[in-house]
Amino acid sequence: MTRITTQSALQQAFTIRRRVFIEEQHVPEAIEFDQYDRLDADCLHVLIHHNSVPAATGRVRFIDQSAKLERICVLKPYRQYGLGKRVIAALEAMAIEKKVSQCLLHGQTHAIPFYERLGYKVVSEVFIEDGIPHVEMVKQML
């Protein structure tokens, strides 16, 4: 796991997000990038490598006693290597450091089984976010 601490690493994460969310899933760039995409923002970013190639990323934002996992993605050629689990584990580890009571996320509906295997439970009806069906999911941490 690499906690992003440099602008260069953050740009590598942005490249992954651009490929997955903007190019592959057609999320508008104006929606994909926001005020939390800075090194000094109230959230932490991770970058996961596979054979020295930046291949997966995610971020965690702290809201009250919760940690919201966001922008989790893996480049298509690397999806069979368990990198998504590594992203979640890294973000959860940072949440545990902050002693939050729960992690929550907005998961795309096709990814519900993935998140359920990692201990997340669906707590909402399906809703549309960025033109894609999502559900809110929660995992108790304490």
Side-chain angles (χ1 to χ4, degrees):
M1 182 266 297
T2 303
R3 186 179 299 196
I4 294 177
T5 59
T6 67
Q7 196 61 42
S8 172
L10 189 59
Q11 289 304 315
Q12 291 175 337
F14 291 169
T15 297
I16 294 167
R17 286 171 47 189
R18 190 170 277 107
R19 281 206 210 140
V20 173
F21 294 126
I22 297 170
E23 295 172 18
E24 188 180 325
Q25 298 184 349
H26 309 290
V27 172
E29 186 167 349
I31 295 173
E32 174 54 30
F33 297 102
D34 62 21
Q35 71 268 26
Y36 302 108
D37 287 325
R38 304 185 318 266
L39 292 176
D40 62 342
D42 188 27
C43 71
L44 302 171
H45 303 259
V46 297
L47 183 64
I48 306 292
H49 291 79
H50 181 76
N51 293 335
S52 302
V53 176
T57 190
R59 73 182 190 191
V60 60
R61 191 161 53 97
F62 300 98
I63 306 164
D64 298 323
Q65 291 300 309
S66 297
K68 186 167 187 241
L69 282 54
E70 302 176 325
R71 305 306 201 266
I72 300 157
C73 59
V74 179
L75 290 173
K76 198 170 203 169
Y78 302 98
R79 290 185 185 153
Q80 68 271 24
Y81 300 113
L83 302 184
K85 289 181 202 170
R86 290 179 53 201
V87 169
I88 299 297
L91 297 174
E92 287 178 348
M94 290 188 286
I96 289 167
E97 286 175 17
K98 297 273 190 180
K99 299 183 181 4
V100 300
S101 59
Q102 68 178 1
C103 285
L104 60 98
L105 57 86
H106 292 177
Q108 294 182 12
T109 54
H110 71 85
I112 291 171
F114 166 76
Y115 291 118
E116 286 177 334
R117 285 192 300 274
L118 299 176
Y120 288 81
K121 294 183 180 5
V122 174
V123 295
S124 77
E125 297 297 321
V126 174
F127 58 91
I128 302 298
E129 186 171 83
D130 303 335
I132 301 167
H134 284 74
V135 291
E136 184 170 357
M137 302 185 79
V138 173
K139 179 177 180 180
Q140 298 306 314
M141 302 305 289
L142 297 178

